Amino acid sequence: MTAPDPVLTPVHGTLHALQVPIPYPMKTVTVLIDTAGPVTLIDTALDTPEARAAIEGGLAALGLHWPDVERVIITHHHPDHYGLAGVVEERSGASVQMLDVEIGRGERYWHLWEEWLPGHTKHMQDHGLPPQLIATLEHDSRRGRARVHPASRVAPLREGQMITLAGSEWEVLWLPGHADGHLGLWNAEESLLIAGDAILPRISPNVGLYAYTRPDPLGDYLQTLGKLEALNPARAVVGHHGPVMEGVQARARELRDHHHERLDFIRAEATREPRSAYGLSLAMFPRDLNTAGRRFALAETLAHAEHLHLLGQLARTWQGNEWVYHG
């Protein structure tokens, strides 16, 4: 069976967006290819045969092959953005770059994964995840880890640094929330933002509190939405449901309102009936979710509950074998 023709979208000059298949509900992730020197990939998708074939096809359609890639920039460490980075590094000798904040946290997670798994499991247990969902956690985590081929060396980019891409100057932005060290690239001249998953048009980026994340990811994300609102790009290249979206400022306001509504909901629920973050997640996400979806729902609910706790609007106490939030 031949691979389907690559879905390439011209973005700006020598910069093209490639839609790469992933086995998640979003169906594809955006990988950017810049054919100007240095030849650059931005994000790399998961390490799956389908993703390898799609990127190979995208490179070939632009007259390139794996060895031509000189630089890889990763927006954040999540598997569907970082998974093939080590493969590209091996095949081309490319420099792999991430925001310095992300190297010390998210990227390090993949190298210390075995050591960190027990802490991740305990974190979920402490916030009420029931035994039947804990039982599948390690298996699902191992399957996700198998699709990540981390780079052997990662060079840091720093907030405010300028880099050359597609013959233009771009500013490195720090857009935390969806990931602690989420990177964006801003071309002021074109009013063009490479946004990764910091903002998405059809879904709300998952903002979850995990064992290894910063203490208030939702607080971080609300600040990021403020940055994006002030920046007001004419266009943004996004990780899913894109590749290009307009109306970033309006979408940032919409997402901020969405999270404030959820905060009001969690505050009211925990005040009405004290319960764990998992118990609150069943109220906030009452629809049927698969096992992975339930864990995402817990992490997202926990980010909201902990934001309220840090603001002094909810209390949190240890009751028996789990943390309970209450008014």
Side-chain angles (χ1 to χ4, degrees):
M1 190 178 78
T2 57
D5 290 336
V7 183
L8 275 166
T9 304
V11 174
H12 166 62
T14 55
L15 194 62
H16 297 76
L18 175 68
Q19 298 304 288
V20 178
I22 53 174
Y24 295 159
M26 299 87 76
K27 294 191 169 37
T28 61
V29 65
T30 302
V31 171
L32 285 158
I33 305 172
D34 180 21
T35 59
V39 172
T40 301
L41 289 185
I42 300 177
D43 288 340
T44 63
L46 281 168
D47 187 359
T48 65
E50 295 80 8
R52 289 186 188 216
I55 294 175
E56 202 164 288
L59 288 169
L62 295 168
L64 300 168
H65 302 284
W66 295 106
D68 296 316
V69 180
E70 299 169 83
R71 177 175 63 175
V72 178
I73 298 173
I74 302 295
T75 60
H76 60 298
H77 76 283
H78 293 167
D80 53 327
H81 295 260
Y82 184 52
L84 272 166
V87 172
V88 182
E89 178 190 48
E90 287 171 7
R91 292 185 176 189
S92 67
S95 163
V96 178
Q97 302 177 350
M98 296 173 101
L99 198 65
D100 50 4
V101 180
E102 193 74 335
I103 295 172
R105 286 178 171 271
E107 202 277 336
R108 192 161 168 258
Y109 168 80
W110 297 118
H111 299 277
L112 297 174
W113 184 85
E114 288 282 356
E115 295 168 44
W116 287 10
L117 182 62
H120 178 51
T121 303
K122 184 176 187 306
H123 171 76
M124 291 286 188
Q125 272 179 321
D126 286 354
H127 288 285
L129 195 70
Q132 66 270 26
L133 296 185
I134 290 289
T136 57
L137 177 60
E138 181 170 345
H139 174 266
D140 290 354
S141 297
R142 287 191 184 282
R143 187 172 58 180
R145 177 64 184 86
R147 292 169 170 165
V148 177
H149 191 127
S152 64
R153 293 174 304 281
V154 185
L157 293 170
R158 293 175 178 86
E159 184 182 21
Q161 185 176 341
M162 302 302 292
I163 66 165
T164 302
L165 189 69
S168 302
E169 289 296 298
W170 300 66
E171 182 184 354
V172 176
L173 303 181
W174 180 31
L175 303 173
H178 177 66
D180 286 348
H182 196 299
L183 169 147
L185 294 172
W186 171 238
N187 183 329
E189 192 177 338
E190 294 293 322
S191 191
L192 176 60
L193 174 69
I194 295 172
D197 288 356
I199 194 158
L200 297 170
R202 284 169 45 191
I203 58 173
S204 171
N206 178 259
V207 179
L209 177 60
Y210 295 95
Y212 67 94
T213 53
R214 283 161 56 89
D216 186 15
L218 182 60
D220 286 343
Y221 190 58
L222 292 171
Q223 288 193 40
T224 286
L225 290 174
K227 280 187 199 175
L228 295 178
E229 191 180 338
L231 212 55
N232 190 20
R235 296 186 301 150
V237 184
V238 292
H240 309 283
H241 303 302
V244 178
M245 71 174 283
E246 297 176 350
V248 171
Q249 187 179 67
R251 180 62 175 151
R253 288 172 178 159
E254 197 174 82
L255 286 169
R256 188 179 57 216
D257 289 346
H258 161 77
H259 284 294
H260 281 303
E261 285 172 15
R262 286 194 161 176
L263 287 167
D264 290 344
F265 178 84
I266 291 292
R267 187 191 300 107
E269 283 290 311
T271 301
R272 182 178 63 80
E273 181 191 338
R275 67 203 108 148
S276 68
Y278 180 76
L280 290 166
S281 77
L282 295 175
M284 191 155 85
F285 298 93
R287 63 189 183 277
D288 282 341
L289 294 173
N290 63 19
T291 303
R294 269 287 145 224
R295 289 195 290 263
F296 276 123
L298 167 56
E300 176 108 11
T301 304
L302 182 55
H304 286 74
E306 194 58 21
H307 182 68
L308 292 168
H309 173 233
L310 291 169
L311 289 175
Q313 296 179 17
L314 281 183
R316 185 188 68 181
T317 54
W318 183 257
Q319 293 189 6
N321 57 355
E322 63 185 18
W323 289 108
V324 169
Y325 290 91
H326 52 93

